[in-house]
Amino acid sequence: MPSPASAPPAPSNLRRVVTASLIGTTIEWYDFFLYGSAAALVFDKLFFPESDPLVGTLLAFLTYAVGFVARPVGALVFGHYGDRLGRKRLLVISLLMMGGATVAIGLLPTHAQLGSAAAVLLTVLRLVQGFALGGEWGGAVLLVSEHGDARRRGFWASWPQTGAPAGQLLATAVLAVLTAVLTEEAFTSWGWRVPFLLSGVLVLVGLWIRMSVDESPVFKAALAKAEARRAAGNAGNAKAAAAEAETMPLPAVLRHHWRDVLIAMGARMAENISYYVITAFVLVYGTKHLDMDRQTVLNAVLIASAVHFAAIPVWGALSDRWGRKPVYLLGAAGIGLWAFPFFWLVDTESFGAVLLAVTVGLVLHGAMYAPQAAFFSELFATRVRYSGASIGAQFSSVAAGAPAPLIATALLADFGGSTPVALYVIAAALLTLLAVGMAKETRMRDLERIGEPGEPGKTEDSGRVPSPRGVSSSVDGR
């Protein structure tokens, strides 16, 4: 008989879980991306006015990068408690933290009102945002992955991933409307605060929906098994005591899944770097280097984000048919090949060309981002899955997404052109191709049966899982 995890869930329950995860991640990414767009457009004037315009932008992006530094800390803390207490409870906390920090940014005095302390407070709030997002991603994708069945896990788990383009779309849309209806003076004076304050309303909606879903059935099953083992009475057994001591998720991840963590980190390099170059750095490149109209670049990112949103579930479904690795490798290779054409098109300063550059870039990015949720979930055992997926995803953000706009802006300032930035993206693509190429295919893994090497009752080859009849079978189910 199939395990509960592998049995198809009730469609209405699964749709509710997917909707809750999607709305929650959309709000969290809206908050996070809103900061990046504001950093590119106005934060240099508001919080670093004494600097040269490009240096001011670099300083604004530096506070932007601070949020990424906090994400691994959030991954450790939320992963630890998410693996011990459950996914749902931690997701509620992350949503409240992110929303509170974003609203506080909207109320923050500027340099003109508070001096240098304004930049310090901005940095602290950005740290809170990063800490919250570090815990959000892993919990949201796991809640869906652990509710769904293996046959369509790539498709369903890709929906929380659409929260990133949806958040980008929402943040860019709000900024585009405000810059269209307000004068530049009004936008710089008070208009920039509106999208940050709007987050308070969005968080209330997201909280109401997120509270309505059930805890992951895979986590509840793992928790019940652990309690049954403890009740069996092995208190006097030294081996059992040692096993119990390793219920701390982080040591278990580092001992049993260190290779999977490195694969996840490498897989994120091209995905993370390319995304922030395409959506955040392009605003700087277009408006400050090419002197393009701000509205033109914002509109291009806005439309491309809508296409990106639609493409992600398609790539997720293809990963169920073709496998996680082929789709991911296609995206990494494509983004590397697109790096130079991307800037050639933007350099034309034509709206149609800029739109094409950003859209193709984001569609290729989606080929990496869509299967990522299922792929990372399928790498780790249930009792360390929140920690393992979060650590692998968020630790790489320090080396990838955090400095990407900063490095790209610095390269532009030093070399005066896009060639070194394109080479930077290509180097990231090569790292991702290497990491994913070394991974085993994970499609069709039973999430309940994935275990650490050497654990009693588990397979020693993390690339293969026992079949329902106890006969070893390959991960793709063939």
Side-chain angles (χ1 to χ4, degrees), residues 6 70 125 160 172 174 284 318 329 439:
S6 61
L125 292 173
T172 307
V174 172
V284 176
L318 288 174
L329 292 171

Side-chain angles (χ1 to χ4, degrees), residues 213-240:
V213 302
D214 297 327
E215 180 56 82
S216 153
V218 173
F219 174 79
K220 288 192 290 187
L223 190 63
K225 290 177 182 178
E227 290 175 351
R229 285 195 297 269
R230 283 194 293 269
N234 290 319
N237 188 310
K239 186 176 181 180

